[in-house]
Amino acid sequence: TTSGPLRLCIGECKPEFMTKSHQQYTFVNPSVLSLNPIRGPESGGTMVTITGHYLGAGSSVAVYLGNQTCEFYGRSMNEIVCVSPPSSNGLGPVPVSVSVDRAHVDNNLQFEYIDDPRVQRIEPEWSIASGHTPLTITGFNLDVIQEPRVRVKFNGKESVNVCKVVNTTTLTCLAPSLTTDYRPGLDAVERPDEFGFVFNNVQSLLIYNDTKFIYYPNPTFELLSPTGVLDQKPGSPIILKGKNLCPPASGGAKLNYTVLIGETPCAVTVSETQLLCEPPNLTGQHKVMVHVGGMVFSPGSVSVISDSLLTLPAIVSIAAGGSLLLIIVIIVLIAYKRKSRENDLTLKRLQMQMDNLESRVALECKEAFAELQTDINELTSDLDRSGIPYLDYRTYAMRVLFPGIEDHPVLRELEVQGNGQQHVEKALKLFAQLINNKVFLLTFIRTLELQRSFSMRDRGNVASLIMTGLQGRLEYATDVLKQLLSDLIEKNLENKNHPKLLLRRTESVAEKMLTNWFAFLLHKFLKECAGEPLFMLYCAIKQQMEKGPIDAITGEARYSLSEDKLIRQQIEYKTLILNCVNPDNENSPEIPVKVLNCDTITQVKEKILDAVYKNVPYSQRPRAVDMDLEWRQGRIARVVLQDEDITTKIEGDWKRLNTLMHYQVSDRSVVALVPKQTSSYNIPASASISRTSISRYDSSFRYTGSPDSLRSRAPMITPDLESGVKVWHLVKNHDHGDQKEGDRGSKMVSEIYLTRLLATKGTLQKFVDDLFETLFSTVHRGSALPLAIKYMFDFLDEQADRHGIHDTDVRHTWKSNCLPLRFWVNVIKNPQFVFDIHKGSITDACLSVVAQTFMDSCSTSEHRLGKDSPSNKLLYAKDIPSYKSWVERYYADIAKLPAISDQDMNAYLAEQSRLHAVEFNMLSALNEIYSYVSKYSEELIGALEQDEQARRQRLAYKVEQLISAMSID
């Protein structure tokens, strides 16, 4: 029977002892149809639902996955639900068996264990404290989880939120809140203690360590208004102010805000501190709600009031304001038009000034260009090579050895006050023996150089005195010099100084002695060979300078090699020929003299003296200050011309020196130079500008004073001491403020006149080349190279070899410092050392530029030139490389010459000693040197006592004898 009521018997099953149930008890056959899901994670925990018939029958049910019990969860008549256990056999399918009481239900169902889900990435890795922001989880096997959830734990409290499966690799979750009771307004960024996933029974993801998930503070908003109601016009944006509206997280994820005006959402724009809401077209009062994450906040309500039409007073006000604005605009336009017209006039005026300035610049450049192209023959044809006024040997030597001292004691006989003449002479002869002792002399020089009070000037003086004292024993002097130079080289290398600095400056007795040694031995070479191109260069410079205006006060000239001595203005002038009466014979033909109409009277006198006494040495000529210039008109009329007289022009506090133009002297006028007169018609009678005051200017303001009085510097523009008036000639000093307003527009940029330097350089180029070629050549028109140069260069090479210096630059620099920079530069800058001439301020400035070029030619270092480089270096920039090649060839040629034996050199030195033995007074020189023995006697005696050789020769004792002999009672 398949069904029927239940019968219950008590004792016996007789009708009176038996009852029957109203319900039917049925026997059934349970069956299984399907399984859902058919797979789950290896860690178990999957809710498996088995579907079939009569599965709710019986009193108990058991489900096995393989050999493991699937934990019973619940059942109905057609379903059994159980939770899968962790797999004991790893991955793969397992059979599903179902038992209902004792009945085993047959089926072919299988459940498959697959890999536990894995999480690879969480985006974004942040939320806000209230959570509920969307997260995207990426990984593998994520679809096998039936109810995936995300969890955090913070301060011991756990919070979870739901996830939704998208596909096998993606989940979308809502971030859990940081804590259930989180208080808004906290501004700290927090990191949860634990962050993970609840994936069925998968324990490995409960705490997920591969993320740096953080929580930012919740956004907070201010109330729309203190009352809570904001009045708005239709279409006006609603601005909600707050904090933490945009978490500062990297990546593109942002908080998703929803703002509702009543029930209607609005378009939102978010910034760091405010939300901008474009409201829908609404009127009336509506509550504003902000939804973000798990937060809902109402900052208040908005009341939208529609615009009302403009009132009549408002319309009248707007019309009046518009009319007033229109009137103001018209006034501004009229003023602008007038101003524009004024500006146009000013612009035209400036344009005219610029055109005028351009034409003047063009004219100046054209003149400079013409001068550059002028044939140099005009200059060379005027120069007279005959009668070069060489100084005698003694004067030349004194000017090199003792510059600036005219009457030196070594030129005179020794004079001793009182009766001790013979006594002193006898003592000095003893001193001469000491000086001729090499040990003594070397010790003497070394001892002096160790004394702090022994100045640079003293070093030069001692070196010159020793060389004059040893003029008659040049072999011995050369031996001492070589020893001192050898010591100097060794000291230089020991002190770790750069080798190139050797002989650069005169800081020792040896260096000055070397200059003097070359001065003695190259005098013949100067007279026979190098003197002529040097004199020709001097004459060429002087003649070229005098072709153009020269300012008698500042020393500036139109033609110059030096930027500092260049007149940077347009000076109008013309050349005049004056016929000068021959001062020796008034009946002989007049001498034509070229002058400029802008020359001062003293400048004219100088030019006349140069022409009349052309071949007479400068020291034998009359001086300009001792002569008067007469302008003769007919036989009787004679006017004495002066730099200053009663006709001198004075403007304000400036007094201008008289020029030929001032006196209106014309071309071919007859003039005469006569000895100074005591009176003349145009000399002022007043005492304030007396004859003496004029001669004061003759002596102090002229650049034509004594040979070295104003060398290489401009005279100061000083006021007349009596009248307070400043004197000027062609240009006032650059700082004065007397320039008129009208002159300012016509003043040219002074740099435009620098092209004149080029014109002068081009004219003098041949003379500079001739001089350099002579100095840097081993053969000069039959004159052999002086032995002294070859001998000294070989000595320096020997010293370099001895000290292992193989750097060619160092050797080159030693030779340059030894001869060109030590001797030739001095001679080029000071031709008055060699010739009986006068060197003016402008000539000195030009020679300094040539000397600087000479120094640069001997240098081995490269000079990088730019527009800011000094003009003297730029002027010869293109010539210096070829000059440098001459120097290198010259040094190489000297090295190739056969070496000079000591015997030949000594013979040559002995010959030079014999020729000039009596030029200087030996006793006077010794007497001068003795002053240093006397001053440093203690130190000298101490040094001699310490030196072994000196002790052997008892030199200390001899010095003491000398001192006692010189001490005249």
Side-chain angles (χ1 to χ4, degrees):
T1 306
T2 56
S3 66
L6 188 76
R7 295 177 188 275
L8 177 65
C9 300
I10 299 173
E12 298 175 33
C13 283
K14 290 177 181 179
E16 63 268 27
F17 299 115
M18 182 175 63
T19 184
K20 185 173 66 172
S21 67
H22 296 292
Q23 294 169 305
Q24 294 287 308
Y25 182 87
T26 309
F27 289 98
V28 294
N29 287 318
S31 63
V32 173
L33 298 176
S34 64
L35 189 68
N36 183 45
I38 60 171
R39 58 189 191 135
E42 185 183 3
S43 295
T46 307
M47 299 284 274
V48 181
T49 302
I50 301 164
T51 309
H53 297 299
Y54 306 118
L55 296 179
S59 58
S60 66
V61 68
V63 180
Y64 294 91
L65 300 183
N67 58 357
Q68 290 179 282
T69 303
C70 184
E71 184 186 339
F72 177 74
Y73 183 77
R75 64 175 174 159
S76 66
M77 191 51 70
N78 295 319
E79 282 184 351
I80 301 171
V81 179
C82 66
V83 180
S84 67
S87 171
S88 60
N89 297 321
L91 305 178
V94 292
V96 178
S97 59
V98 179
S99 297
V100 180
D101 292 342
R102 292 183 188 154
H104 295 286
V105 182
D106 293 329
N107 63 73
N108 293 319
L109 298 178
Q110 287 191 320
F111 180 82
E112 186 181 4
Y113 281 107
I114 64 170
D115 273 330
D116 286 348
R118 278 184 292 142
V119 173
Q120 282 185 311
R121 191 166 70 251
I122 303 170
E123 288 181 341
E125 290 191 292
W126 59 269
S127 182
I128 56 175
S130 63
H132 287 81
T133 58
L135 306 177
T136 302
I137 315 301
T138 309
F140 297 103
N141 296 342
L142 300 180
D143 58 339
V144 300
I145 308 302
Q146 290 156 316
E147 291 180 11
R149 286 174 294 166
V150 61
R151 67 181 281 274
V152 294
K153 192 172 183 181
F154 181 68
N155 288 343
K157 294 183 181 178
E158 188 167 342
S159 173
V160 294
N161 213 336
V162 295
C163 296
K164 184 180 174 184
V165 175
V166 178
N167 54 40
T168 185
T169 59
T170 311
L171 294 178
T172 58
C173 303
L174 292 176
S177 59
L178 194 61
T179 61
T180 50
D181 58 346
Y182 184 79
R183 297 191 311 280
L186 296 177
D187 287 336
V189 176
E190 302 287 358
R191 193 179 298 280
D193 302 332
E194 292 180 9
F195 181 91
F197 299 91
V198 181
F199 285 174
N200 293 3
N201 198 32
V202 178
Q203 301 297 313
S204 60
L205 290 174
L206 277 172
I207 299 173
Y208 181 60
N209 291 324
D210 292 345
T211 182
K212 296 176 179 172
F213 201 88
I214 57 173
Y215 281 87
Y216 290 104
N218 281 338
T220 56
F221 293 94
E222 298 174 8
L223 294 175
L224 286 172
S225 73
T227 61
V229 179
L230 178 67
D231 292 329
Q232 285 279 103
K233 290 184 179 179
S236 297
I238 299 168
I239 297 172
L240 302 174
K241 294 184 179 178
K243 285 197 306 182
N244 307 326
L245 304 189
C246 289
S250 57
K254 292 184 178 177
L255 286 176
N256 187 16
Y257 288 89
T258 303
V259 179
L260 298 176
I261 311 297
E263 300 296 323
T264 313
C266 69
V268 176
T269 306
V270 186
S271 73
E272 181 64 39
T273 57
Q274 61 185 28
L275 290 184
L276 189 70
C277 167
E278 298 288 346
N281 289 325
L282 296 171
T283 54
Q285 187 166 322
H286 301 275
K287 191 172 184 180
V288 178
M289 300 294 290
V290 181
H291 296 257
V292 57
M295 283 178 61
V296 179
F297 178 76
S298 175
S301 301
V302 292
S303 176
V304 183
I305 306 162
S306 60
D307 289 339
S308 59
L309 295 171
L310 286 170
T311 59
L312 186 62
I315 293 168
V316 171
S317 301
I318 290 170
S323 304
L324 185 63
L325 186 65
L326 186 64
I327 291 166
I328 291 169
V329 167
I330 291 167
I331 292 169
V332 168
L333 283 172
I334 292 167
Y336 175 75
K337 187 75 176 170
R338 185 173 293 172
K339 190 71 178 172
S340 297
R341 196 177 297 120
E342 285 178 11
N343 287 347
D344 287 346
L345 288 171
T346 306
L347 192 64
K348 282 179 184 172
R349 193 161 58 246
L350 286 172
Q351 191 66 47
M352 286 174 65
Q353 286 182 351
M354 286 298 292
D355 291 345
N356 183 29
L357 185 60
E358 278 182 19
S359 63
R360 292 179 61 205
V361 168
L363 181 64
E364 174 61 29
C365 291
K366 194 172 178 184
E367 278 183 25
F369 182 73
E371 287 169 2
L372 277 169
Q373 305 306 321
T374 303
D375 192 0
I376 203 166
N377 291 338
E378 183 189 340
L379 184 62
T380 52
S381 60
D382 289 350
L383 291 178
D384 187 1
R385 289 167 189 269
S386 64
I388 296 176
Y390 287 107
L391 294 171
D392 60 79
Y393 180 87
R394 176 188 292 189
T395 312
Y396 152 78
M398 288 306 295
R399 288 194 178 180
V400 177
L401 268 62
F402 304 103
I405 303 175
E406 294 295 325
D407 185 27
H408 197 279
V410 299
L411 300 176
R412 304 191 302 268
E413 290 290 326
L414 179 67
E415 292 178 8
V416 180
Q417 292 177 352
N419 303 320
Q421 182 85 20
Q422 289 181 338
H423 191 71
V424 170
E425 284 183 10
K426 186 178 176 185
L428 287 176
K429 283 171 185 172
L430 284 174
F431 187 35
Q433 292 173 9
L434 279 173
I435 288 289
N436 286 324
N437 182 306
K438 186 178 175 183
V439 175
F440 171 79
L441 185 55
L442 290 172
T443 307
F444 174 57
I445 292 170
R446 288 167 187 160
T447 305
L448 291 186
E449 287 185 330
L450 289 173
Q451 309 311 311
R452 293 185 69 175
S453 61
F454 189 60
S455 65
M456 289 297 163
R457 189 169 179 175
D458 289 335
R459 289 163 205 262
N461 193 35
V462 167
S464 297
L465 289 170
I466 288 172
M467 287 305 285
T468 52
L470 298 178
Q471 171 75 74
R473 287 202 60 199
L474 283 178
E475 311 101 294
Y476 170 60
T478 305
D479 188 32
V480 170
L481 174 62
K482 282 170 64 180
Q483 183 60 51
L484 288 171
L485 287 176
S486 177
D487 292 350
L488 187 66
I489 292 169
E490 205 150 316
K491 184 181 172 188
N492 180 279
L493 296 174
E494 274 178 15
N495 292 346
K496 299 285 184 4
N497 293 337
H498 197 286
K500 287 187 180 181
L501 294 176
L502 182 73
L503 307 176
R504 175 70 58 87
R505 303 180 192 87
T506 303
E507 293 178 346
S508 66
V509 173
E511 287 162 306
K512 180 64 175 171
M513 279 179 73
L514 180 61
T515 308
N516 300 340
W517 187 78
F518 274 124
F520 285 170
L521 299 181
L522 295 186
H523 178 253
K524 183 169 182 275
F525 177 67
L526 262 171
K527 279 193 82 165
E528 292 179 1
C529 187
E532 185 183 321
L534 178 61
F535 185 70
M536 296 306 288
L537 173 64
Y538 160 77
C539 291
I541 289 174
K542 188 172 188 296
Q543 193 163 322
Q544 180 64 16
M545 300 308 107
E546 291 178 352
K547 270 175 66 179
I550 299 175
D551 192 293
I553 302 293
T554 67
E556 295 172 356
R558 176 192 168 90
Y559 296 105
S560 171
L561 287 178
S562 169
E563 183 181 353
D564 299 334
K565 290 289 179 185
L566 181 70
I567 292 180
R568 299 195 187 191
Q569 288 183 28
Q570 189 72 33
I571 305 288
E572 297 296 330
Y573 71 96
K574 65 179 182 180
T575 305
L576 303 177
I577 305 271
L578 298 183
N579 293 325
C580 181
V581 175
N582 191 321
D584 299 328
N585 183 1
E586 293 211 3
N587 298 321
S588 62
E590 292 160 348
I591 301 165
V593 181
K594 272 188 186 176
V595 295
L596 305 177
N597 65 344
C598 63
D599 284 345
T600 65
I601 305 309
T602 300
Q603 286 178 333
V604 174
K605 289 194 278 187
E606 290 281 2
K607 288 182 178 179
I608 292 172
L609 287 170
D610 282 343
V612 172
Y613 299 100
K614 196 173 186 179
N615 295 320
V616 178
Y618 183 78
S619 60
Q620 296 171 28
R621 298 180 190 177
R623 291 182 61 202
V625 291
D626 300 327
M627 307 296 282
D628 269 338
L629 181 66
E630 285 185 350
W631 179 16
R632 299 188 176 181
Q633 297 159 329
R635 286 182 170 272
I636 302 167
R638 298 181 179 187
V639 179
V640 175
L641 308 185
Q642 303 268 346
D643 279 346
E644 288 183 63
D645 56 20
I646 55 172
T647 68
T648 299
K649 288 183 181 175
I650 299 178
E651 292 180 7
D653 58 349
W654 286 93
K655 181 197 293 185
R656 185 167 193 173
L657 295 179
N658 296 340
T659 61
L660 292 181
M661 197 191 313
H662 167 78
Y663 285 114
Q664 298 178 350
V665 176
S666 57
D667 195 29
R668 297 288 174 186
S669 294
V670 177
V671 296
L673 275 182
V674 295
K676 259 205 190 298
Q677 304 297 308
T678 52
S679 64
S680 182
Y681 95 92
N682 58 343
I683 297 170
S686 68
S688 65
I689 315 177
S690 64
R691 188 68 187 216
T692 55
S693 97
I694 292 172
S695 66
R696 173 161 60 80
Y697 280 107
D698 283 336
S699 60
S700 64
F701 275 112
R702 304 268 151 60
Y703 78 99
T704 49
S706 59
D708 298 309
S709 62
L710 295 171
R711 199 172 78 228
S712 78
R713 64 180 176 85
M716 294 295 291
I717 299 181
T718 51
D720 185 305
L721 297 177
E722 293 167 9
S723 61
V725 174
K726 288 175 278 189
V727 182
W728 71 291
H729 173 206
L730 298 175
V731 290
K732 295 179 181 177
N733 77 331
H734 305 302
D735 303 325
H736 83 93
D738 295 354
Q739 191 171 305
K740 293 176 187 170
E741 189 64 35
D743 296 342
R744 197 164 294 154
S746 61
K747 189 170 174 61
M748 279 200 282
V749 180
S750 61
E751 276 70 16
I752 199 72
Y753 297 106
L754 291 178
T755 48
R756 291 177 182 173
L757 300 176
L758 273 176
T760 311
K761 183 230 175 188
T763 313
L764 301 175
Q765 185 69 51
K766 175 183 177 298
F767 299 96
V768 175
D769 285 351
D770 282 355
L771 175 62
F772 285 16
E773 200 172 350
T774 305
L775 298 183
F776 296 138
S777 169
T778 51
V779 179
H780 312 277
R781 303 175 200 142
S783 295
L785 177 84
L787 294 180
I789 297 175
K790 169 67 177 168
Y791 187 75
M792 189 50 68
F793 279 17
D794 282 358
F795 169 73
L796 291 175
D797 280 335
E798 282 170 25
Q799 289 294 315
D801 289 339
R802 186 175 146 215
H803 293 286
I805 295 172
H806 303 296
D807 185 346
T808 52
D809 279 4
V810 172
R811 292 176 180 237
H812 182 107
T813 307
W814 281 10
K815 290 171 184 176
S816 298
N817 292 347
C818 155
L819 173 66
L821 307 190
R822 185 151 291 288
F823 178 72
W824 287 127
V825 166
N826 198 20
V827 170
I828 292 170
K829 283 187 72 171
N830 301 291
Q832 74 274 18
F833 286 0
V834 184
F835 313 111
D836 189 348
I837 53 171
H838 165 68
K839 180 182 70 169
S841 159
I842 180 64
T843 312
D844 177 74
C846 295
L847 286 169
S848 293
V849 173
V850 175
Q852 181 61 52
T853 305
F854 186 84
M855 290 165 72
D856 291 342
S857 304
C858 296
S859 168
T860 56
S861 56
E862 289 297 323
H863 295 283
R864 296 190 176 222
L865 297 176
K867 66 182 189 310
D868 299 322
S869 301
S871 60
N872 61 332
K873 288 190 184 290
L874 290 171
L875 201 55
Y876 283 93
K878 289 186 177 175
D879 305 284
I880 284 175
S882 62
Y883 292 155
K884 282 189 173 186
S885 67
W886 292 3
V887 177
E888 287 167 8
R889 186 197 63 211
Y890 175 58
Y891 290 172
D893 288 350
I894 292 173
K896 288 176 192 168
L897 290 173
I900 301 166
S901 67
D902 287 342
Q903 187 178 355
D904 290 346
M905 188 66 190
N906 286 337
Y908 165 70
L909 291 169
E911 174 65 14
Q912 292 299 310
S913 298
R914 186 185 62 75
L915 287 173
H916 305 294
V918 294
E919 300 287 358
F920 309 108
N921 187 291
M922 171 72 81
L923 291 178
S924 296
L926 289 169
N927 192 44
E928 293 293 313
I929 297 170
Y930 175 75
S931 65
Y932 291 96
V933 174
S934 170
K935 184 176 179 181
Y936 300 110
S937 58
E938 286 182 25
E939 293 87 345
L940 178 59
I941 291 168
L944 289 170
E945 284 172 347
Q946 286 176 7
D947 186 276
E948 193 178 333
Q949 284 182 287
R951 279 204 307 273
R952 251 186 267 138
Q953 298 178 37
R954 301 181 67 211
L955 293 180
Y957 172 69
K958 290 178 182 177
V959 170
E960 287 170 350
Q961 273 190 317
L962 168 68
I963 293 167
S964 61
M966 288 292 286
S967 303
I968 303 162
D969 187 22

